[in-house]
């Protein structure tokens, strides 16, 4: 979402003459778009600011000026502290205020030296006032939902992004059509809780994510749809049916479970049990048998015993994930879990994380190895590191690279996977016979 937000900030600043710079050295404005989800991410902001300060001073010494802004969730959560600790910052703006950036820039230019703090909440205003999104390649993000009302006890999102808000369906469809007109072939719908989407529809009703996906699938030229991040509680029948009926919807789903122990899930306020999660996965797989899953895990949540952790390991073995993100629990100021008793020692967290990641990495490697020899359709969306190489994503989000003509950039091509590397798949263009075989399997 921060990648999407950064692009929208660039869009909103374009009429003022700002264009993206390749580095910060000589920039007229530097915006740090920050994440507050774990302590490590939040800490980075201050070290980055320390690095930028001399650049700003050098620019001033040379007779120019650099506006330094901090955006995102650290700005929202720690705005005042930020201005106190780094008074050379000109603008501190929370995630729901990007549309006001031009005005803030004008104010910063007038009030040199006095930092501006903008941390208002309503997401509605932001989306209404942002300019049209511009595409930067064949694959694009599109925010449809923001904020969260679930209040998991470990999480800062409800406090930094605010209450849950869904953009009206017509606004989402219009943005998608514009992106497709600009050459976009794949759209990833974004939201902190994307499947809690309940957007106002022009028929006077409310659309859930499943309905929205069906409508998006009718846009000619839009070949691939994805969405992230989903909550296990919000997988309704309409969404499950969309996985069966919408061919553009890729067979890959990021569905965070966090933990496998019901006791810990309850303490996290996740509002589902491990069995609920199993059943949800079963429902999805029964309609779309090739659906591959990804997930997020937290180890060392307060009170997590060895037995609780074993339940997480057991769930992972049982379900099988092809891609994952796993973290040590990081106490976040102001969240209920940060003041719970029985915080888990760092050493135990590290041990559990290592064990979990070993298992998860095995599953990823096994899935990647099983892909060798298969033919997959891949949207080639970027130049590779080597000359004549293009990169893309498989239907299952695996990075794939192939030697192919530059003309293939932006195309969905049939590729035969020839090798599974640690972080990607190597492929070759599939022969006509391969393509026939793929069609026969489909
Ligand atoms: N809305 C999504 C997750 C958004 S936050 C969901 O409900 O699943 C992204 C991920 O960061 C979470 O899934 C969780 O695994 C991790 N995370 C959030 N807060 C954390 C914390 N305090 N410590 C460690 N990991 C955290
Ligand atoms: Fe955070 Fe996700 Fe829980 Fe919302 S549902 S509080 S975003 S972890």
């Amino acid at each position: 979402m921060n990648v999407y937000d950064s692009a929208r900030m660039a869009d909103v600043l374009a009429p003022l003459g700002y264009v993206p710079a390749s580095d910060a050295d000589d920039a007229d404005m530097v915006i740090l778009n920050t994440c507050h989800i774990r302590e490590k991410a939040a800490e980075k902001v201050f070290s980055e600011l320390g690095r930028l300060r001399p650049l700003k001073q050098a620019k001033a010494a040379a007779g120019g000026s650099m506006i330094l802004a901090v955006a995102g969730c650290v700005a929202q959560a720690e705005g005042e502290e930020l201005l106190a600790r780094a008074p050379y910052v000109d603008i501190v703006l929370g995630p729901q205020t990007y549309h006001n950036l031009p005005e803030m820039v004008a104010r910063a230019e007038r009030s040199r030296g006095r930092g501006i703090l903008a941390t208002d909440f309503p997401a509605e205003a932001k989306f209404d006032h942002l300019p049209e999104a511009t595409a930067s390649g064949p694959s694009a993000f599109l925010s449809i939902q923001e904020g969260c009302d679930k209040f998991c006890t470990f999480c800062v999102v409800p406090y930094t992004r605010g209450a849950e808000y869904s953009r009206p369906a017509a606004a989402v469809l219009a943005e998608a059509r514009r992106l497709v007109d600009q050459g976009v072939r794949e759209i990833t719908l974004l939201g902190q809780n994307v499947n809690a989407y309940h957007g106002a529809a022009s028929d006077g009703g409310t659309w859930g994510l499943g309905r929205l996906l069906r409508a998006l699938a009718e846009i000619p030229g839009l070949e691939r749809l994805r969405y992230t991040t989903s909550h296990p509680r919000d997988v309704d029948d309409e969404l499950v049916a969309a996985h069966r009926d919408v061919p553009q919807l890729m067979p890959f789903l990021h569905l965070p479970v966090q933990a496998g122990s019901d006791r810990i899930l309850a303490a996290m306020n996740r509002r589902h049990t491990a069995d609920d999660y199993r059943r949800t996965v079963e429902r999805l797989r029964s309609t779309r048998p090739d659906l591959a899953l990804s997930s997020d895990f937290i180890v060392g949540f307060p009170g997590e015993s060895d037995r609780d952790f074993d339940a997480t390991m057991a769930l992972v073995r049982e379900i099988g994930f092809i891609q994952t993100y796993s973290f040590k629990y990081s106490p976040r100021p102001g969240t209920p879990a940060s003041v719970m008793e029985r915080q888990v020692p760092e050493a135990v967290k590290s041990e559990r994380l290592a064990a979990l990641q070993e298992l998860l990495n095995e599953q990823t490697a096994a899935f990647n190895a099983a892909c060798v020899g298969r033919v997959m359709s891949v949207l080639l969306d970027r130049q590779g590191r080597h000359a004549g190489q293009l990169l893309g994503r498989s239907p299952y989000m695996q990075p794939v690279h192939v030697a192919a003509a530059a003309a293939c950039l932006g195309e969905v091509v049939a590729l035969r996977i020839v090798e599974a590397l640690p972080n990607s798949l190597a492929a070759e263009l599939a022969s006509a016979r391969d393509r026939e075989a793929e069609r026969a399997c489909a």
Side-chain angles (χ1 to χ4, degrees), residues 110 191 247 347 361 380 442:
R110 282 198 306 271
N361 290 342
L380 295 171

Side-chain angles (χ1 to χ4, degrees), residues 32 34-50 74 78 85 330 332:
L32 294 182
T34 62
C35 176
H36 201 245
I37 200 83
R38 285 171 295 277
E39 194 178 353
K40 240 194 204 149
E43 270 169 9
K44 273 194 204 153
V45 180
F46 287 99
S47 57
E48 274 299 302
L49 283 173
V74 176
E78 300 181 24
R85 262 177 81 178
S330 166
R332 308 305 295 128

Side-chain angles (χ1 to χ4, degrees), residues 369-397:
C371 290
V372 174
R374 282 179 66 179
V375 173
M376 295 184 185
S377 53
V378 174
L379 170 61
L380 295 171
D381 62 351
R382 270 161 300 156
Q383 298 281 358
R385 241 182 298 152
H386 307 293
Q389 191 187 53
L390 296 179
L391 301 180
R393 296 270 177 184
S394 76
Y396 310 105
M397 277 303 274

Side-chain angles (χ1 to χ4, degrees), residues 31-176:
I31 305 177
L32 294 182
N33 196 9
T34 62
C35 176
H36 201 245
I37 200 83
R38 285 171 295 277
E39 194 178 353
K40 240 194 204 149
E43 270 169 9
K44 273 194 204 153
V45 180
F46 287 99
S47 57
E48 274 299 302
L49 283 173
R51 199 179 65 80
L52 289 166
R53 186 182 192 180
L55 299 183
K56 181 175 163 91
Q57 286 166 334
K59 189 125 199 219
S65 69
M66 176 192 283
I67 294 177
L68 191 49
V70 179
C73 292
V74 176
Q76 185 68 40
E78 300 181 24
E80 304 213 350
E81 190 200 336
L82 231 156
L83 283 178
R85 262 177 81 178
Y88 49 92
V89 169
D90 300 291
I91 302 172
V92 173
L93 70 158
Q96 309 305 354
T97 63
Y98 301 148
H99 56 296
N100 293 327
L101 248 178
E103 186 206 325
M104 289 182 230
V105 169
R107 272 170 61 206
E109 276 165 353
R110 282 198 306 271
S111 71
R112 287 245 157 267
R114 261 177 303 127
I116 295 167
L117 181 66
T119 45
D120 281 351
F121 253 161
E124 295 88 333
K126 175 177 74 175
F127 286 113
D128 285 349
H129 294 100
L130 278 170
E132 293 182 358
T134 41
S136 59
S139 182
F141 290 130
L142 200 174
S143 266
I144 63 166
Q145 182 278 337
E146 252 201 90
C148 182
D149 296 338
K150 290 208 165 53
F151 291 92
C152 299
T153 52
F154 54 81
C155 183
V156 290
V157 168
Y159 312 97
T160 55
R161 288 268 170 177
E164 201 178 287
Y165 167 71
S166 295
R167 294 176 69 189
V172 173
L173 289 167
E175 187 167 329

Side-chain angles (χ1 to χ4, degrees), residues 204-380:
T206 304
W207 284 6
L209 182 60
R211 181 71 188 80
L212 184 70
L213 285 163
R214 281 175 199 272
L216 285 163
E218 282 167 20
I219 299 177
L222 181 50
E223 296 185 34
R224 299 185 152 208
L225 286 165
R226 302 179 185 275
Y227 61 91
T228 201
T229 294
S230 314
H231 194 287
R233 271 283 294 237
D234 296 323
V235 180
D236 63 13
D237 290 342
E238 202 180 20
L239 185 57
V240 174
H243 277 278
R244 182 191 59 214
D245 302 334
V246 178
Q248 292 92 331
L249 192 52
M250 292 291 101
F252 173 81
L253 180 59
H254 183 59
L255 193 64
V257 66
Q258 315 297 356
S261 146
D262 287 345
R263 218 172 55 81
I264 294 300
L265 287 169
M268 287 176 163
N269 190 31
R270 288 294 288 180
R271 307 164 196 221
H272 65 80
T273 63
D275 274 348
D276 293 334
Y277 188 85
R278 289 183 179 95
R279 276 192 289 271
T280 299
V281 169
E282 250 165 52
R283 276 163 66 221
L284 285 159
R285 282 182 171 158
S286 66
T287 51
R288 186 78 208 225
D290 62 337
L291 187 83
L293 286 171
S294 152
S295 192
D296 292 345
F297 297 90
I298 295 178
V299 299
F301 185 81
E304 186 188 66
S305 65
D306 284 340
R307 244 180 102 185
D308 293 320
F309 176 65
D310 290 345
T312 300
M313 295 289 276
L315 186 77
V316 170
R317 279 193 203 97
E318 197 183 322
I319 304 259
F321 296 95
I322 71 151
Q323 232 181 65
T324 45
Y325 303 88
S326 44
F327 316 98
K328 290 190 240 179
Y329 168 67
S330 166
R332 308 305 295 128
T335 58
S338 67
V339 291
M340 282 181 186
E341 287 173 6
R342 298 182 54 214
Q343 297 283 328
V344 174
E346 260 327 281
V348 176
K349 287 185 195 171
S350 301
E351 219 172 90
R352 288 181 187 162
L353 188 65
L356 176 63
Q357 289 186 339
E358 196 184 325
L359 174 61
L360 294 169
N361 290 342
E362 273 169 24
Q363 293 190 339
T364 303
F367 183 79
N368 289 346
C371 290
V372 174
R374 282 179 66 179
V375 173
M376 295 184 185
S377 53
V378 174
L379 170 61
L380 295 171

